[in-house]
Amino acid sequence: MLEMPVLTPDEALWERLFRETQGTMALCYQCGVCTAACPWGLVRHEPFSVRAMMRRAQVGLLDGDEHLWLCAACAQCETLCPRGVPVSEIFQSLREQAWETRRIPRGLSAVLWSVYWNNNPWFQPPSYRVRWARDLEVPRFDPAQHELLYYVGCTSAYDRRAQKVARALVQLLRAAGVRFGTLGNDEPCCGEAVKSLGHRPYFYEIAQNNAKIFADAGVRELITTSPHCYDVFQNHYPRFQAEFRPYHYTQYLARLLEEGRLRFAQEVRLRVTYHDPCYLGRRNGEYDAPRRILDAIPGLERVEMAHSGPEALCCGGGGGRMWLETRAGERFADLRVQEALQTGAQVIATACPFCMACLEDSLKGLGVQGIRVMDVAEIAAMAISPSGTDLRI
C-alpha cells in the first residue's frame, strides 16, 4: 500500500504572515488570476503557480521552497488581484523566514555582506563611489545653498553603463539652473537590494540609519536615478520618521519643464519606444512623467509597444532577481525586445538602471541589430546641447 507523505502545517508561520500582511494574506480565495498574470508563464513550459504558493502560505507549508526566489515583484498580479492581496510582500515575508532557517540560494549572503562592508551590493570599494563624477565638479550638498540632493544610488555610482545616466542628469539639472549637490563618498546604500531579498531586520537597520543621515544633512527634497531607490524612500522610509520628499528624476524633470526652467532647444530625430519600469509604473503609478519628457523633445517620435503602462511586461530585474541567475530562454527582457522591434523604433527608452541592464543583455543575447537601449535622461541631454551630450566614462 502506497504511503502518502505527512504534511504538518506550521501555525506559527501562518500567524506571523497574517500579522505581517495585516490580514491581507487571508483574503486570497484561490481564483488563480495571479498565476495567469505572472510573466513566468510566458517563458516557461510549466507556469509558476503563484496561486499554489499563496495557498501553501495560508496553511504554513512553505519551509525552504525554492520558488520563493522567482518573484520579480513586478506587481502585475497585484494590480489584477480582485482581493488586493500584496503578493510580493508575502513573498518577502517568506524570504525573511528562509533567511532565519538559512535556506537561501547560494551567493545571496555575499550581496548582503557587500552592503555591510562596502556600502553597496556591487562588491566595489566605498572610495570609488564618486568616480562617475570625477571631472564634473559636483558639489557636496549644503542645505544653505542647495535646493535639492541628488541621490545617485549604488548602481549609477558603480555600474559603468549606468554612470552615463548620472552624468546626463547632472547636465540636465545644470541646464535648468537647479542648485544641487550630492553626499559624495558618504552617500549610503538605500537598502533596496536587502529588502528585495527578504532580510527585513537588516533593511530596517539601514533605513533607520539613513533617515538620520538625511535629517542631519538637512535634506528636504531629493531625486533618485533608480525607481528602486525611489520606491523604498517613498513607501518604506516614512515609518522611520524620514521627513524628506523623494522624487524619481523623471518626475522632477517633468516639473522643471512645466515651470519653464528646463527647455529643449535641439532636435533629436529618433523613433523611440518607452519601456515602463515596474517600480516606477505599477508599484508607484508614475507613467506620464517619462512620456512628457520624451514628448517635449523636438524631432522625437514616440511609439508605444503592444503592452505599455499598467500592462507593460517586466524586464525581470526586480524583486532581487538582479542578484540571481536567470537561464537563457527564460528572460522576460527577451520578450520586451521582440515587442520593441515590432514598433520599428530605433531606441528602447527606459528610466531604470536595472531595466537598462536587462534589456541590453537581451539585445546582445538575441544578436539584435538596429536598435539600442537608452535612458530617458540620456535622450533628454541630447536635446540641450548643439553637440549632444557628453556621456563618456
Side-chain angles (χ1 to χ4, degrees):
M1 181 177 178
L2 181 64
E3 293 186 6
M4 299 298 291
V6 177
L7 301 177
T8 305
D10 187 339
E11 293 186 7
L13 174 61
W14 185 92
E15 291 178 0
R16 173 178 175 174
L17 290 173
F18 187 88
R19 181 177 63 255
E20 290 180 351
T21 63
Q22 297 180 333
T24 54
M25 181 193 71
L27 295 176
C28 174
Y29 59 7
Q30 294 290 292
C31 68
V33 167
C34 51
T35 298
C38 183
W40 281 108
L42 301 174
V43 295
R44 284 188 160 193
H45 295 297
E46 183 177 344
F48 168 38
S49 180
V50 184
R51 175 175 64 177
M53 291 286 290
M54 294 299 297
R55 184 55 181 162
R56 293 177 65 190
Q58 286 179 326
V59 296
L61 292 173
L62 276 172
D63 190 23
D65 196 306
E66 63 181 12
H67 290 100
L68 292 178
W69 309 96
L70 289 179
C71 179
C74 70
Q76 184 73 283
C77 58
E78 295 176 9
T79 60
L80 298 174
C81 176
R83 304 281 283 179
V85 179
V87 178
S88 60
E89 290 296 319
I90 293 171
F91 270 71
Q92 287 192 357
S93 294
L94 294 167
R95 290 178 180 184
E96 181 181 353
Q97 194 257 354
W99 279 99
E100 293 173 359
T101 57
R102 299 185 180 181
R103 299 186 180 186
I104 58 172
R106 184 177 181 181
L108 292 190
S109 293
V111 175
L112 269 62
W113 278 116
S114 181
V115 173
Y116 181 80
W117 289 113
N118 301 317
N119 194 32
N120 70 81
W122 292 104
F123 305 95
Q124 295 294 311
S127 59
Y128 286 11
R129 197 171 192 96
V130 296
R131 284 193 168 189
W132 67 273
R134 60 183 177 272
D135 59 341
L136 295 180
E137 298 182 357
V138 178
R140 173 85 180 198
F141 176 76
D142 181 349
Q145 301 180 40
H146 300 137
E147 58 189 297
L148 182 74
L149 170 71
Y150 173 27
Y151 180 85
V152 183
C154 298
T155 305
S156 296
Y158 292 103
D159 179 79
R160 291 183 64 83
R161 177 64 184 90
Q163 286 174 347
K164 297 180 179 180
V165 180
R167 296 173 66 86
L169 268 174
V170 168
Q171 292 183 339
L172 290 163
L173 293 173
R174 285 177 171 168
V178 177
R179 294 173 289 109
F180 72 97
T182 72
L183 295 179
N185 280 335
D186 295 326
E187 179 182 273
C189 174
C190 71
E192 193 277 333
V194 176
K195 179 186 180 299
S196 291
L197 292 174
H199 206 302
R200 279 178 173 161
Y202 186 28
F203 169 70
Y204 290 161
E205 179 183 334
I206 291 171
Q208 187 170 15
N209 290 338
N210 289 352
K212 185 177 185 304
I213 289 173
F214 293 137
D216 291 345
V219 177
R220 295 179 297 276
E221 289 189 336
L222 66 77
I223 64 168
T224 70
T225 318
S226 172
H228 293 257
C229 303
Y230 169 69
D231 180 68
V232 291
F233 289 153
Q234 175 72 9
N235 299 316
H236 301 283
Y237 272 51
R239 68 181 295 171
F240 302 103
Q241 288 75 52
E243 297 180 355
F244 59 88
R245 171 68 187 273
Y247 297 91
H248 183 254
Y249 84 83
T250 57
Q251 297 172 321
Y252 197 78
L253 293 186
R255 191 176 92 180
L256 293 176
L257 284 169
E258 293 173 0
E259 294 172 352
R261 297 176 66 183
L262 180 63
R263 296 180 177 86
F264 298 136
Q266 303 300 317
E267 286 193 345
V268 179
R269 295 193 175 278
L270 289 174
R271 185 179 176 91
V272 175
T273 187
Y274 176 68
H275 164 76
D276 290 276
C278 297
Y279 276 64
L280 186 60
R282 277 190 294 270
R283 302 207 70 84
N284 285 285
E286 185 57 77
Y287 303 102
D288 294 336
R291 289 174 170 83
R292 292 204 304 271
I293 296 168
L294 293 172
D295 291 345
I297 298 175
L300 185 144
E301 178 189 3
R302 181 174 61 83
V303 292
E304 293 286 1
M305 286 182 262
H307 296 87
S308 63
E311 298 180 353
L313 296 179
C314 175
C315 76
R321 293 296 308 174
M322 283 295 291
W323 319 108
L324 293 161
E325 182 63 29
T326 302
R327 291 181 293 183
E330 293 188 353
R331 296 171 182 170
F332 306 162
D334 291 356
L335 303 178
R336 202 58 168 153
V337 167
Q338 296 296 338
E339 278 200 340
L341 289 172
Q342 293 173 10
T343 68
Q346 300 163 284
V347 173
I348 305 173
T350 190
C352 172
F354 287 1
C355 292
M356 186 165 60
C358 291
L359 291 166
E360 288 190 335
D361 282 350
S362 285
L363 285 179
K364 295 174 185 176
L366 296 172
V368 172
Q369 303 292 325
I371 190 170
R372 57 178 169 158
V373 181
M374 295 183 70
D375 193 274
V376 170
E378 295 178 295
I379 301 172
M382 295 172 65
I384 63 173
S385 170
S387 59
T389 181
D390 175 15
L391 300 178
R392 294 174 299 172
I393 294 296

